[in-house]
Amino acid sequence: MLIIGLTGGIGSGKSAVARCFSELGIPVIDADSVAREVVEPGLPALKEIEKRFGTQILATDGRLDRKQLRKIIFSDPQAKADLEAILHPMIRTRMWELANRQTTPYVILEIPLLVETGQNTSVDRVLVVDVPQQLQIERVCARDGMSPQEAATVIAAQISRQRRLDAADDIIENTGTFSELQTQVEHLHRKYLELASHNPA
Ligand code: ADP
């Protein structure tokens, strides 16, 4: 099974691209959804997080209080590193477990931090969705109601556009319409099916 890692900066269009692949019948395993799933009550991740951060990170219903946790790690790099050391391996394991269950010729792993976390080397191909920063800011502001300054700050905290592009095997330029985006995805879909047919593993 061919594994494609889909990534891109905030607001580049990862979700839009993922939707196009889904519509073509290709499973998309999304790191953000898996990250929410692994911290469900009763699963080992939440216990580990509670051990590290105390019951202050639990909401009254026993679920993870994400807002509280975000507040803690925002100002404490060690806390952030500890949290990631707990979560990242669990997210990774779960994503590969889900991927290996699929019966399609290829699957998409949607991982915003694919390059930052070095997972670009574990997938067969890296697909980067790319937009110029101005358009990225406009789309983030329209989607999330941020100011252009806030959007620029988030973008500046992410890996640079160039470094992400350097890791890419395939690039989708998402500067056009949704229909143009769909066409690019269909083109890649044919390419991935072709590659998968030569990749018996
Ligand atoms: P990401 O998942 O990378 O953060 P999204 O797929 O959510 O990005 O796209 C960011 C915003 O831009 C969304 O509101 C989305 O609807 C919009 N968008 C994405 N691609 C296009 C496009 N080709 N044309 C117009 N708007 C787009």
Side-chain angles (χ1 to χ4, degrees):
M1 151 115 48
L2 189 69
I3 307 280
I4 311 293
L6 166 65
T7 194
I10 180 174
S12 56
K14 294 179 293 297
S15 307
V17 167
R19 244 186 334 269
C20 294
F21 278 108
S22 288
E23 283 165 13
L24 293 167
I26 296 302
V28 177
I29 297 158
D30 164 31
D32 289 341
S33 309
V34 172
R36 282 190 294 274
E37 184 197 311
V38 299
V39 296
E40 286 287 312
L43 297 181
L46 189 57
K47 294 234 163 33
E48 289 287 313
I49 295 172
E50 188 189 335
K51 224 190 290 168
R52 166 63 179 83
F53 295 94
T55 47
Q56 58 167 342
I57 52 82
L58 294 182
T60 44
D61 63 359
R63 306 181 81 85
L64 182 63
D65 185 343
R66 297 167 175 285
K67 219 164 129 190
Q68 176 69 11
L69 189 59
R70 261 201 305 276
K71 224 189 298 172
I72 295 170
I73 64 170
F74 182 73
S75 54
D76 184 347
Q78 186 57 53
K80 183 167 188 272
D82 291 347
L83 179 68
E84 288 175 351
I86 296 169
L87 281 182
H88 284 180
M90 292 186 184
I91 295 169
R92 220 177 273 207
T93 303
R94 179 68 181 148
M95 288 186 85
W96 284 87
E97 202 175 276
L98 290 170
N100 286 325
R101 242 186 238 177
Q102 307 305 318
T103 52
T104 44
Y106 74 95
V107 300
I108 303 279
L109 302 188
E110 181 184 350
I111 309 182
L113 300 180
L114 184 80
V115 183
E116 286 89 334
T117 56
Q119 288 176 89
N120 51 308
T121 57
S122 329
V123 294
D124 294 308
R125 290 186 83 78
V126 173
L127 169 57
V128 170
V129 193
D130 183 57
V131 282
Q133 184 161 323
Q134 190 49 44
L135 185 56
Q136 184 180 18
I137 289 174
E138 280 167 26
R139 286 183 180 162
V140 169
C141 292
R143 186 191 61 186
D144 299 338
M146 283 188 201
S147 70
Q149 288 74 17
E150 284 169 327
T153 304
V154 175
I155 293 167
Q158 298 189 328
I159 197 171
S160 76
R161 186 179 172 198
Q162 192 54 54
R163 281 187 57 201
R164 197 183 288 109
L165 286 172
D166 287 344
D169 296 294
D170 304 297
I171 298 169
I172 288 182
E173 274 302 337
N174 187 16
T175 49
T177 61
F178 280 113
S179 154
E180 285 162 339
L181 185 66
Q182 173 98 41
T183 304
Q184 290 188 74
V185 171
E186 283 165 7
H187 179 81
L188 280 171
H189 177 60
R190 285 192 293 274
K191 175 173 171 173
Y192 293 154
L193 287 177
E194 171 68 18
L195 285 171
S197 70
H198 300 302
N199 181 353

